[in-house]
Amino acid sequence: MKNGILEECYSTLKGYLKTCIEKTKIQTEKVLAFKPSDGLYDSIWPDDFAFPTMVSPESLSKEDYQRIADFISDSCQGLVVVPDRVRFDGMPIMSPGPFGEPISYRMPAHLPSAWVRLLIHLEKQGVTLKNRDFWAKLIERSFENVDFKDGLVYIDPEKPYVGFAYHDCIAISGYDFFSSIVTMKGLRRAATFFQNDLPLATREKWLSMSSKIKSNLTRLLDPKKKAFLAGSDSCRQVNIWANGLYYGDANCEEKQGIRDYLIKHMNQIIHQGCTRQIAESRGWEKQLLEMPINSYMNGGYWPTGTGYIFQAIYETDHELGKQLLRDLITALPKYEYPEWISPNGIVSNERYFHMAIAIPMLAIRSVIDGGSLFDYF
């Protein structure tokens, strides 16, 4: 069987995800849902809800999905832009960070795309989305809240904020690679999803903006490293996760550069099957919220990150890719499905973390089906 090992790994991870979802299910007065982990995360995030239910849609019933869609629609009424998350008490929270300690003073740049992706996913589960006109206008205002320069998502170096929320502690500024590639897909998706809800001029504008992102990404391509930098001003470091994700949409020359960089730095970026965001031992060059080296986003090793890079590794060396999955599958239950781990034995307080399993599952499925992880973004 050509993909026998991959199918086996996928099945094992599916079992892990089922364990995590059952551990974190929550019944409120309005919805049956689940938390992203068994720790302090107590909300519905667009990414952390969408991706696990993409690979495990049977975790909730059609009626549950409908109630969740109604719940978040009601919660977002009156907002100027989309929130970071919606708490289970119905309160929208606008910035990443612990409650009362917001990290970002304005909407993270990737959020409009994340919410569009969730709305599309909910409709695929049979949901009838109420107030489509409300959502169309909210998404439109949210995209308008994102700054662009030379076609790319732009973060002011003098006042950086969160671009891509899985980098929410990191002060990436100038052109932002991760936010740009996610927004590139989000604009395309939104133009199709809202084709009956917004003027043609708006949708054509979004498609044009998406094309401009694609044609300007090389502004972030390092000519020596042959891989893409996280930012053009601060954090001019190769973004491991973002390069892995973009690999699925890159041209042949760009793919070769990404593969070469990842393989060259495997010893720096991989620990027990989990993957850092950058290769530098010193961590990120600049942070919005100071984190110790080798912890959380400043050099912590994430199971989620392994999903981002898996296809590039597997297409370079099948055996190396399979071993990466084996190591990940061993580490996940050992550390109770953690958000991240460190080489000095420290483990995230967030356990049974769904994205630690969902993103690697989507990456494996992409390879089996002949697509890419980027197809899901």
Side-chain angles (χ1 to χ4, degrees):
M1 187 174 176
K2 181 180 178 182
N3 292 313
I5 297 297
L6 297 187
E7 292 281 10
E8 182 180 328
C9 290
Y10 185 89
S11 178
T12 299
L13 289 171
K14 178 108 175 171
Y16 288 175
L17 183 59
K18 181 179 180 180
T19 296
C20 293
I21 288 175
E22 289 302 317
K23 178 82 170 178
T24 57
K25 275 193 173 177
I26 179 170
Q27 177 72 65
T28 72
E29 292 183 4
K30 294 186 176 181
V31 296
L32 171 65
F34 45 77
K35 302 197 301 180
S37 66
D38 74 340
L40 297 177
Y41 298 156
D42 62 347
S43 304
I44 294 176
W45 276 263
D47 285 344
D48 295 71
F49 184 83
F51 288 122
T53 52
M54 283 181 188
V55 289
S56 191
E58 72 282 358
S59 299
L60 296 169
S61 69
K62 178 181 176 181
E63 293 73 23
D64 291 327
Y65 284 115
Q66 183 65 61
R67 283 189 284 269
I68 288 168
D70 294 345
F71 172 71
I72 60 174
S73 291
D74 291 343
S75 298
C76 291
Q77 289 293 323
L79 296 181
V80 176
V81 296
V82 291
D84 176 65
R85 60 194 186 273
V86 173
R87 279 195 335 212
F88 287 110
D89 62 3
M91 184 69 68
I93 304 297
M94 307 309 291
S95 168
F99 185 68
E101 301 176 41
I103 296 174
S104 189
Y105 68 93
R106 59 181 290 184
M107 182 195 74
H110 91 292
L111 278 177
S113 302
W115 281 101
V116 168
R117 188 186 314 117
L118 175 58
L119 296 176
I120 293 171
H121 174 59
L122 287 171
E123 283 207 343
K124 288 181 178 178
Q125 305 315 307
V127 162
T128 299
L129 188 63
K130 299 175 182 177
N131 302 318
R132 284 188 65 96
D133 180 64
F134 156 75
W135 275 110
K137 291 176 180 176
L138 180 61
I139 294 297
E140 182 179 17
R141 291 195 302 270
S142 299
F143 276 130
E144 289 173 354
N145 192 259
V146 179
D147 293 334
F148 291 86
K149 185 179 186 302
D150 298 321
L152 300 174
V153 173
Y154 182 76
I155 309 292
D156 184 354
E158 292 192 348
K159 202 173 182 181
Y161 65 98
V162 177
F164 182 72
Y166 265 74
H167 289 17
D168 62 16
C169 293
I170 314 308
I172 298 168
S173 67
Y175 306 133
D176 184 324
F177 182 59
F178 217 147
S179 298
S180 291
I181 61 174
V182 171
T183 301
M184 177 177 72
K185 284 296 290 289
L187 288 164
R188 291 181 205 161
R189 289 187 183 278
T192 300
F193 185 66
F194 293 116
Q195 61 183 334
N196 297 319
D197 308 288
L198 289 171
L200 177 61
T202 299
R203 293 181 286 113
E204 288 181 338
K205 176 185 175 182
W206 285 350
L207 292 174
S208 175
M209 291 167 67
S210 179
S211 296
K212 287 179 181 177
I213 292 174
K214 179 68 173 178
S215 61
N216 281 284
L217 286 173
T218 52
R219 292 176 182 271
L220 284 161
L221 185 63
D222 187 292
K224 293 182 179 179
K225 297 175 181 177
K226 305 295 184 184
F228 293 88
L229 302 176
S232 63
D233 190 82
S234 59
C235 298
R236 290 181 57 84
Q237 299 165 265
V238 172
N239 189 323
I240 300 298
W241 295 9
N243 275 267
L245 179 61
Y246 183 63
Y247 178 85
D249 204 55
N251 62 38
C252 291
E253 184 178 355
E254 291 166 344
K255 283 186 175 182
Q256 186 63 56
I258 292 169
R259 287 196 298 264
D260 290 347
Y261 186 88
L262 293 178
I263 295 297
K264 180 180 179 180
H265 293 90
M266 285 289 283
N267 290 337
Q268 288 77 46
I269 65 174
I270 302 295
H271 177 66
Q272 295 192 52
C274 302
T275 305
R276 288 171 113 233
Q277 295 178 350
I278 30 72
E280 293 86 350
S281 60
R282 67 183 183 279
W284 284 101
E285 294 172 356
K286 188 175 181 180
Q287 299 184 72
L288 294 171
L289 182 65
E290 291 297 321
M291 289 288 164
I293 188 65
N294 290 330
S295 72
Y296 195 44
M297 294 174 185
N298 192 30
Y301 293 79
W302 293 59
T304 307
T306 299
Y308 284 119
I309 70 167
F310 172 69
Q311 184 174 9
I313 300 300
Y314 184 77
E315 290 188 0
T316 304
D317 184 329
H318 281 14
E319 291 307 313
L320 184 61
K322 292 174 186 176
Q323 188 58 52
L324 182 60
L325 291 181
R326 293 188 189 102
D327 292 343
L328 176 66
I329 283 170
T330 299
L332 281 167
K334 177 181 178 181
Y335 297 108
E336 295 183 300
Y337 316 101
E339 184 180 31
W340 56 268
I341 63 175
S342 74
N344 57 12
I346 297 174
V347 181
S348 167
N349 290 327
E350 300 297 329
R351 313 291 175 87
Y352 296 88
F353 186 66
H354 302 170
M355 289 284 276
I357 304 164
I359 295 297
M361 284 182 70
L362 286 170
I364 295 169
R365 179 51 55 195
S366 298
V367 170
I368 293 172
D369 293 344
S372 76
L373 180 63
F374 201 47
D375 296 336
Y376 293 95
F377 273 75

